[in-house]
Amino acid sequence: MLKGNVMVTQDTTSISIGELSARTGISVRALRYYEQNGLLAARRQGTGHRRFHPAAVETVRRIRMFLDAGLPLAVVSHVMSCFVQDGTRLDSCVAMYLHEHMDSIRERIEELDEQRDTVERLQRLLIA
């Protein structure tokens, strides 16, 4: 496309942060946060705008999978490289983190069960 006397070409090999947000359902703010924490790579245009490789959609999906499981961002940054076989499997390098996290979840469930039991006992003490 000619703009004035300058030829302007569209970059079709990358996507904007807005496009990445639309494709993943993740807010622009969260995507910036992932980038700031080294989980997501972007290159900057001369204007300072971020451009992402289209594969970033899959990277964001993987980040969200770990975050949705409740793993902290610091752990996510360590285990992102554990995806193997084109990202369809996880290497054993993530096993320790998952095991520890599962133990933590089980402990929290036990604590919540105890709290629920206590609340139920308290409810039985209520005067109707």
Side-chain angles (χ1 to χ4, degrees):
M1 169 172 71
L2 194 59
K3 199 172 201 178
N5 289 334
V6 179
M7 178 60 90
V8 178
T9 58
Q10 279 194 327
D11 182 358
T12 58
T13 61
S14 65
I15 58 176
S16 70
I17 195 165
E19 291 173 86
L20 183 57
S21 175
R23 291 184 189 186
T24 61
I26 304 301
S27 71
V28 168
R29 184 175 182 181
L31 295 172
R32 286 186 189 118
Y33 185 68
Y34 300 163
E35 181 195 7
Q36 289 168 356
N37 283 276
L39 294 171
L40 199 55
R43 64 177 177 77
R44 299 289 182 136
Q45 292 180 309
T47 59
H49 293 255
R50 293 169 175 86
R51 298 298 295 185
F52 297 88
H53 189 278
V57 172
E58 181 62 20
T59 301
V60 170
R61 186 191 69 76
R62 293 173 187 168
I63 292 167
R64 288 305 321 167
M65 194 180 320
F66 284 126
L67 293 176
D68 290 347
L71 291 167
L73 201 61
V75 170
V76 175
S77 66
H78 290 264
V79 297
M80 282 299 291
S81 62
C82 295
F83 277 100
V84 294
Q85 297 179 7
D86 293 329
T88 60
R89 305 287 298 191
L90 282 170
D91 188 72
S92 62
C93 65
V94 73
M96 177 193 69
Y97 294 107
L98 293 177
H99 181 75
E100 289 176 359
H101 189 61
M102 183 60 82
D103 286 346
S104 172
I105 290 171
R106 286 187 178 115
E107 287 173 14
R108 287 192 341 240
I109 289 171
E110 287 176 18
E111 291 169 2
L112 288 170
D113 283 342
E114 290 172 10
Q115 289 176 5
R116 181 197 60 224
D117 293 346
T118 302
V119 169
E120 287 173 349
R121 280 194 307 276
L122 290 169
Q123 285 179 320
R124 287 192 295 271
L125 296 176
L126 287 173
I127 299 174

